[in-house]
Amino acid sequence: DKAIQTIIKMGVANGVKRFWIGENGLLSTPAVSATIRERGPVWQKAFGAFILTASHNPGGPEEDFGIKYNTQNGGPAPEYLMQATYANTTSIKGYKICSDFPDIDITKAGSTAVAADDGSSSVVVEVIPATQNHVALLKTIFDFDAIKGLLDREDFTMVYDSMHGVNGPFAKAVFVDELGQPESVLTNHIPKDDFNGGHADPNLTYAKELVATMGLDKKGNKIDVSGPIPSFGAAADGDGDRNMILGTQFFVTPSDSLAVIVANANCIPFFSTQGGLKAVARSMPTSGAVDLVAKDLNLDFFETPTGWKFFGNLMDSKVIFKGKDYTPFICGEESFGTGSDHVREKDGIWAVLAWLNILAAHNADASKPLVTVEDIVTKHWTKYGRNYYCRWDFEGVDKASATAMMDKMRGDTSTNTGRTVGSYTIATADDFKYVDPVDGSVAQKQGIRFLMSDGSRIIFRLSGTAGSGATVRMYIEAYESEKLDSSVASALEELTKIALELCDIKTFCGTETPTVIT
């Protein structure tokens, strides 16, 4: 609340005349994007928004607190604006703030008008219902009647873990208020400033309560569970833009989730009523599973650096840049982010509803046995093959040491190209560079890649969203068209050993034991 009041006072001092604040300060990141894009007549449109968020990191007074700025298209600020903002921070001598502006009660919806003492100007601060715009938009995208039919089946159960993040009110608005489900389908759905002491990152390690409920351990292996296991499980991160999807004792990797949603996009009215999907994109570290679907369906396909702003440019190619229209559009990242062009952010609850809409379409005949999450994924693998994939996170390592490790690999790319390592040959070693096809901007040093001659990949990145120290992310991928039921660990065993040798993280960072494996 203190940060919100400060931003209002600074905005007033800098000439802002109108503010929208989410009730109780609770707007998820995709809801902010939806509010910018959907709320009000054109003459009242917001030109930007501040999002106060720990994202998927630990939050609270002693943990992460980030300030993010989104622009009038609803998406993250573009690179040029961020660079200009940073440049200002190196020379700023002071700032403006209207300290006498009264604090606004943000606990209930309503409008407050404050006039200057001399009557020369006035400011309106409107506290808006937090879930209103986003939920209204979601109802236009999905077949809520079909989803409700699925949820009401006696042989279908679900659980949605909001991990005490901002997603809780949105989950309640959708699943309880709109779809008529008991509140018991929701867990950890009361938002807490510090995520109740947890780490609100929806993965197998940190969403351990949900993972155990779904009959799995933190490596995705099946465990014994007393009592029935839900048919469907999902989790959200702290600001509601990430998602994890689970079936009964079955983990859907984010890369497979993206590919399955794309392959089944016509089950979702947003895409089918617009004549079908036109284009898809994934971040470079994300597995190539969706590439195979895009090729099969003859869709435009893009591989971008990590960061939703790159997807936003592709979505806005026609509207803003007068280029080709790539919408309807679906995109995703291996870091549990999935979305479409309905907003300009990844959208966790969108992904959950997409899966439920797809499940509903595959279970249209309620008299037949339930088609499960695992059924849909294994059928997808049978058609397209399986991209065995995992990500190792080394969190909290020394940043200087991690940077030195990356620089060493970067300097050795030409030497490593053509080299034989174990049973693999490195066809190309490089540092990923992206030239944006929409605005021509160039993004360099986006990750060290080792591309094997058989299509397997090893990738290393330094994360830009870790709170303390640095996070090294190591990605391992191998494609298999026939052996579809191996464990991920066994399928990637040799590549993992090769990856650890190539980076020499033990020498640089003092460990080769990851904190998180997904």
Side-chain angles (χ1 to χ4, degrees), residues 60 64 73 118 194 205 236 243 275 288 359 419 430 455 464:
D64 274 21
N73 76 333
D118 62 3
D194 64 349
T205 297
N243 74 93
L359 281 164
R419 178 182 164 195
D430 66 8

Side-chain angles (χ1 to χ4, degrees), residues 426-444:
I426 302 173
T428 302
D430 66 8
D431 192 354
F432 183 57
K433 174 182 175 181
Y434 179 70
V435 179
D436 195 302
V438 176
D439 65 8
S441 61
V442 178
Q444 302 192 61

Side-chain angles (χ1 to χ4, degrees), residues 7-316:
I7 289 173
I8 293 173
K9 295 176 195 295
M10 293 182 73
V12 171
N14 283 278
V16 178
K17 301 298 184 185
R18 191 164 46 87
F19 298 82
W20 290 334
I21 312 295
E23 191 174 6
N24 293 307
L26 298 177
L27 281 176
S28 69
T29 291
V32 169
S33 185
T35 299
I36 292 173
R37 296 176 61 81
E38 301 290 329
R39 186 175 182 82
V42 172
W43 65 273
Q44 286 187 343
K45 289 290 184 184
F47 63 79
F50 290 102
I51 304 174
L52 312 180
T53 173
S55 186
H56 57 298
N57 302 309
E62 304 303 321
E63 297 288 354
D64 274 21
F65 177 78
I67 300 178
K68 180 178 171 182
Y69 185 72
N70 282 33
T71 57
Q72 60 190 353
N73 76 333
E79 193 66 26
Y80 74 86
L81 181 56
M82 297 307 297
Q83 291 176 354
T85 301
Y86 173 74
N88 282 345
T89 68
T90 64
S91 60
I92 189 170
K93 303 298 183 184
Y95 60 89
K96 297 178 182 179
I97 187 167
C98 185
S99 301
D100 293 334
F101 195 84
D103 284 355
I104 302 298
D105 181 2
I106 63 171
T107 63
K108 56 178 182 283
S111 184
T112 301
V114 180
D117 290 340
D118 62 3
S120 60
S121 65
S122 63
V123 173
V124 176
V125 182
E126 186 178 357
V127 178
I128 62 175
T131 64
Q132 184 181 72
N133 296 107
H134 192 206
V135 173
L137 177 60
L138 292 170
K139 288 174 67 178
T140 70
I141 294 170
F142 300 104
D143 186 342
F144 269 48
D145 289 338
I147 293 173
K148 179 172 172 52
L150 171 72
L151 298 179
D152 288 345
R153 284 179 60 143
E154 291 185 0
D155 58 351
F156 187 89
T157 53
M158 71 163 282
V159 60
Y160 192 7
D161 186 352
S162 292
M163 302 186 76
H164 289 295
V166 74
N167 187 69
F170 295 86
K172 183 177 182 297
V174 169
F175 288 97
V176 179
D177 300 341
E178 295 291 343
L179 293 170
Q181 301 307 298
E183 199 163 336
S184 57
V185 303
L186 310 178
T187 61
N188 302 318
H189 60 294
I190 306 302
K192 304 285 187 180
D193 286 348
D194 64 349
F195 307 137
N196 206 39
H199 186 160
D201 192 356
N203 58 45
L204 292 172
T205 297
Y206 294 123
K208 53 190 174 185
E209 180 181 330
L210 171 69
V211 171
T213 298
M214 298 304 296
L216 298 171
D217 65 15
K218 67 178 184 179
K219 293 184 178 180
N221 300 316
K222 295 180 180 181
I223 59 174
D224 292 331
V225 175
S226 60
I229 300 173
S231 314
F232 180 83
D237 72 332
D239 64 337
D241 61 356
R242 284 174 167 81
N243 74 93
M244 177 170 65
I245 303 297
L246 301 162
T248 303
Q249 295 190 301
F250 189 83
F251 168 59
V252 184
T253 70
S255 297
D256 279 340
S257 179
L258 172 63
V260 169
I261 292 173
V262 169
N264 292 274
N266 277 339
C267 296
I268 300 169
F270 181 83
F271 302 106
S272 60
T273 58
Q274 295 186 75
L277 196 58
K278 286 185 181 178
V280 298
R282 62 163 174 84
S283 65
M284 181 272 288
T286 303
S287 94
V290 75
D291 309 28
L292 302 170
V293 182
K295 182 178 180 180
D296 179 51
L297 300 181
N298 196 31
L299 304 173
D300 285 319
F301 167 76
F302 302 91
E303 179 184 40
T304 75
T306 297
W308 217 256
K309 59 191 174 185
F310 299 105
F311 296 147
N313 261 14
L314 293 165
M315 296 179 200
D316 289 329

